[in-house]
């Protein structure tokens, strides 16, 4: 029956309403029509009939909920540069362009010279080798997948030796003992929580030892009465025992971070030159690229891994390879590295950030002030490594929680943090070109 006869607005009228029409464009005709149908269905059952205005509001609220459920770009004003919940490393312009340019048919596994099947990994292998000094490399879905794959390759039905100070949980439920159990390997812990010596490893070697696993203590530090083995000594021991030494370094520094005012992290090249047979690291942490797990190491070790049928289940797609290649190419020079957003952010000086914050405060008036803060590299990577930063602090009349919620509901959403009842908008991870958007959103807070 005609809705108008029952005193309800017609579907096409609602879809054309200026408040609703924009959602037809962004969420699609079907989704918008479903929201309209649902609202009309609800209206039909109410007495008295709601006004057209009230029906529109119901529809907008439901479409807005839908919009925020879909994957959206957000502005990261948290001061955590590699925020796992916000997608870790933002991609460089070159990486974005590469992944969209290579979204169609590509020579992913096709050798154009011979017209026969080629290698999916050939495209990135030489870049990884050049940056790390590795003889060979492989890329899988993420670093967790790389660890699982290596354990499965070398230690299924065998033993994996891990020192007690490294039998850790990385976060997001990734626990070394659980991953080893899943790969069918028996965990053999050596040493104590605070101290491990070379003799501890030496005594643990048996005919069943398949792997020695070292994990980067990403998210905690031990201090005081502690002792660890030198990587080179452990490498020598593993080599003489004929056991593969595998280091899960997680963050994957390709450059000395001291240049950015952060403590030195062993680079992947250093880990390999210390004698590890295999190193695993993430593509979206200090590499500053897409989600991926990179395995670099000796020709023999990578060859064994490549034969594992799990490689097929953990493989990456063409867009990951495209974005990762573009990111790795940028790492070849300091200028290139500066085009990777993570390194552009790390390179911003406090003076530069203070000048930007000053512009915010000049526009926002007495409601805002500039504060010195700490930004964190973050991401379960180097969560404790901090770098001096600058933020705009506001004490909105409606309260900081409410203001933070308003910012999150904006378009694009802005994610800030709250400290002692103040809204803190840390500028280190906010791109300069987003300043105007953030400023406008902050000015409209009451
Ligand atoms: C982050 C991290 C991982 C997990 O990496 P994903 O790429 O998120 O799977 C594994 N090991 C270490 C040491 C890490 O820091």
């Amino acid at each position: 029956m005609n809705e108008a006869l029952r005193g309800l607005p017609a579907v096409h009228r609602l879809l054309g309403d200026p408040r609703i029409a924009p959602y037809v464009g962004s969420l699609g005709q079907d989704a918008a029509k479903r929201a309209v149908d649902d609202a009309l269905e609800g209206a039909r059952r109410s007495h008295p009939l709601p006004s057209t205005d009230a029906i529109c509001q119901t529809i907008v609220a439901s479409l807005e909920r839908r919009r925020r459920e879909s994957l959206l770009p957000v502005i990261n004003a948290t001061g955590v540069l590699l925020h796992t919940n916000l997608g870790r490393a933002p991609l460089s312009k070159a990486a974005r362009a590469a992944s969209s340019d290579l979204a169609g048919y590509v020579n992913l596994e096709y050798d154009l010279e011979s017209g026969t099947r080629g290698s999916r990994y050939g495209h990135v292998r030489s870049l990884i080798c050049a940056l790390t000094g590795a003889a060979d490399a492989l890329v899988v879905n993420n670093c967790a997948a790389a660890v699982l794959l290596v354990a499965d390759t070398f230690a299924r039905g065998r033993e994996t030796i891990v020192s007690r100070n490294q039998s850790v949980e990385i976060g997001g439920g990734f626990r070394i003992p659980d991953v080893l159990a899943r790969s069918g390997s028996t965990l053999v812990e050596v040493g104590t929580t605070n101290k491990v010596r070379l003799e501890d490893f030496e005594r643990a070697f048996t005919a069943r030892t398949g792997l020695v696993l070292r994990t980067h203590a990403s998210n905690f530090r031990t201090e005081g009465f502690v002792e660890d083995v030198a990587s080179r000594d452990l490498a020598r021991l593993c080599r003489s025992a004929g056991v593969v030494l595998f280091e899960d370094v997680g963050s994957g520094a390709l450059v000395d971070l001291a240049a950015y005012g952060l403590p030195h992290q062993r680079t992947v090249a250093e880990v390999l030159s210390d004698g590890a047979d295999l190193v695993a690291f993430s593509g979206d942490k200090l590499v500053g690229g897409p989600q991926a797990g990179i395995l670099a190491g000796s020709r023999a070790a990578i060859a064994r891994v490549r034969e594992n049928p799990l490689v097929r289940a953990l493989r990456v797609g063409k867009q990951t390879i495209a974005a990762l290649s573009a990111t790795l190419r940028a790492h070849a020079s300091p200028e290139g590295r500066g085009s990777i957003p993570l390194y552009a952010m790390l390179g911003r000086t406090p003076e530069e950030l203070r000048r930007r914050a000053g512009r915010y405060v000049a526009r926002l008036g007495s409601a805002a002030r500039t504060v010195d803060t700490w930004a964190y590299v973050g991401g379960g990577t180097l969560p404790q490594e901090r770098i001096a930063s600058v933020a705009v602090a506001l004490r909105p009349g409606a309260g900081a929680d409410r203001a933070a919620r308003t910012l999150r509901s904006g378009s694009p959403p802005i994610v800030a943090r709250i400290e002692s009842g103040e809204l803190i908008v840390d500028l280190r991870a906010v791109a300069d070109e987003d300043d105007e958007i953030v400023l406008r959103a902050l000015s409209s807070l009451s």
Side-chain angles (χ1 to χ4, degrees):
M1 183 191 293
N2 189 331
E3 299 290 358
L5 292 182
R6 303 201 223 171
L8 285 170
V11 173
H12 75 271
R13 286 270 304 281
L14 288 168
L15 287 172
D17 186 282
R19 285 165 289 183
I20 294 167
Y23 291 100
V24 179
S26 59
L27 295 173
Q29 176 88 18
D30 286 353
K33 179 146 185 315
R34 228 170 300 129
V36 168
D37 288 344
D38 289 349
L40 286 173
E41 181 66 35
R44 236 171 262 133
R45 277 189 258 108
S46 344
H47 297 283
L49 282 185
S51 67
T52 299
D53 217 43
I55 295 171
C56 274
Q57 275 169 26
T58 305
I59 297 167
V60 166
S62 127
L63 289 170
E64 189 52 30
R65 265 196 309 279
R66 280 198 134 233
R67 187 181 72 85
R68 271 185 279 160
E69 274 164 16
S70 50
L71 201 55
L72 288 176
V74 304
I75 292 177
N76 175 8
T78 63
V80 180
L81 308 189
L82 295 172
H83 199 305
T84 299
N85 302 149
L86 300 182
R88 289 205 188 141
L91 295 183
S92 67
K93 289 203 172 78
R96 291 170 201 228
S99 76
S100 94
D101 289 349
L102 296 166
Y105 289 126
V106 294
N107 58 336
L108 181 63
E109 288 188 354
Y110 189 79
D111 183 339
L112 291 170
E113 187 112 18
S114 63
T116 56
R117 181 158 183 198
S119 157
R120 173 178 296 253
Y121 303 104
H123 310 277
V124 277
R125 187 161 58 204
S126 54
L127 289 166
I128 299 168
C129 293
L131 290 167
T132 62
D136 204 352
L138 185 65
V139 179
V140 289
N141 180 63
N142 59 7
C143 188
V147 175
L148 176 70
L149 178 60
V150 169
D152 185 272
T153 304
F154 296 98
R156 163 170 294 278
R158 296 166 69 85
E159 292 167 356
T160 299
I161 303 177
V162 177
S163 65
R164 277 205 174 75
N165 62 357
Q166 295 187 344
S167 190
V168 297
E169 171 169 330
I170 309 294
F174 182 76
R175 288 179 160 193
I176 292 298
D178 297 344
V179 174
L180 291 176
R182 184 46 62 119
S183 72
S185 178
T186 307
L187 169 63
V188 177
E189 290 188 355
V190 298
T192 61
T193 313
N194 56 329
K195 288 204 174 206
V196 62
R197 301 191 187 87
L198 202 60
E199 305 87 82
D200 296 323
F201 283 93
E202 213 162 0
R203 272 198 300 271
F205 280 120
T206 70
R208 289 179 22 89
T209 307
L211 190 68
V212 171
L213 166 63
R214 301 288 283 160
T215 310
H216 185 269
S218 295
N219 46 10
F220 72 104
R221 235 191 302 256
T222 52
E223 277 172 27
F225 192 59
V226 296
E227 185 179 338
D228 211 338
V229 294
S231 301
R232 278 173 188 271
D233 296 340
L234 184 58
R236 207 170 301 125
L237 181 67
C238 289
R239 206 167 309 126
S240 69
V243 170
V244 168
L245 173 59
F246 169 46
E247 292 213 28
D248 166 20
V249 297
S251 51
L254 296 175
V255 60
D256 184 355
L257 292 177
Y260 296 90
L262 288 164
H264 176 75
Q265 283 271 321
R266 276 163 85 221
T267 62
V268 176
E270 283 165 348
V271 174
L272 287 169
S273 87
D274 281 344
D277 297 289
L278 276 174
V279 183
F281 54 103
S282 297
D284 52 359
K285 292 181 178 176
L286 290 177
V287 171
Q291 176 188 308
I294 302 169
L295 271 173
S298 72
R299 208 163 267 128
I302 293 285
R304 284 272 311 272
V305 175
R306 201 175 276 126
E307 285 165 12
N308 189 325
L310 268 182
V311 169
R312 172 65 178 73
L314 303 174
R315 78 182 182 190
V316 289
K318 58 193 174 186
Q319 284 172 294
T320 297
I321 293 175
L324 184 61
S325 300
T327 308
L328 293 171
R329 240 175 256 123
H331 273 284
S333 70
E335 308 81 67
R337 187 171 287 122
S339 70
I340 300 171
L342 175 67
Y343 289 90
M345 290 172 200
L346 286 171
R348 287 179 184 142
T349 63
E351 295 73 46
E352 188 184 334
L353 293 171
R354 213 164 284 125
R355 261 198 308 280
R356 282 173 60 198
R359 283 200 293 275
Y360 276 69
V361 172
R363 284 261 297 273
L364 296 169
S366 61
R369 64 196 181 92
T370 297
V371 289
D372 288 332
T373 55
W374 293 104
Y376 290 84
V377 178
T381 327
L382 309 165
Q384 316 198 45
E385 305 305 5
R386 55 187 203 172
I387 176 168
S389 188
V390 178
V392 177
L394 292 106
R395 208 173 270 284
D401 278 328
R402 179 100 181 252
R405 207 174 323 129
T406 305
L407 291 179
R408 288 200 306 273
S409 68
S411 181
I414 299 167
V415 186
R417 65 174 199 267
I418 295 170
E419 257 170 40
S420 328
E422 274 191 311
L423 185 71
I424 305 288
V425 178
D426 193 299
L427 294 183
R428 189 170 280 280
V430 175
D432 310 30
E433 60 259 35
D434 288 338
D435 276 345
E436 194 51 41
I437 298 171
V438 178
L439 247 168
R440 231 175 285 147
L442 294 181
S443 326
S444 63
L445 292 175
S446 47

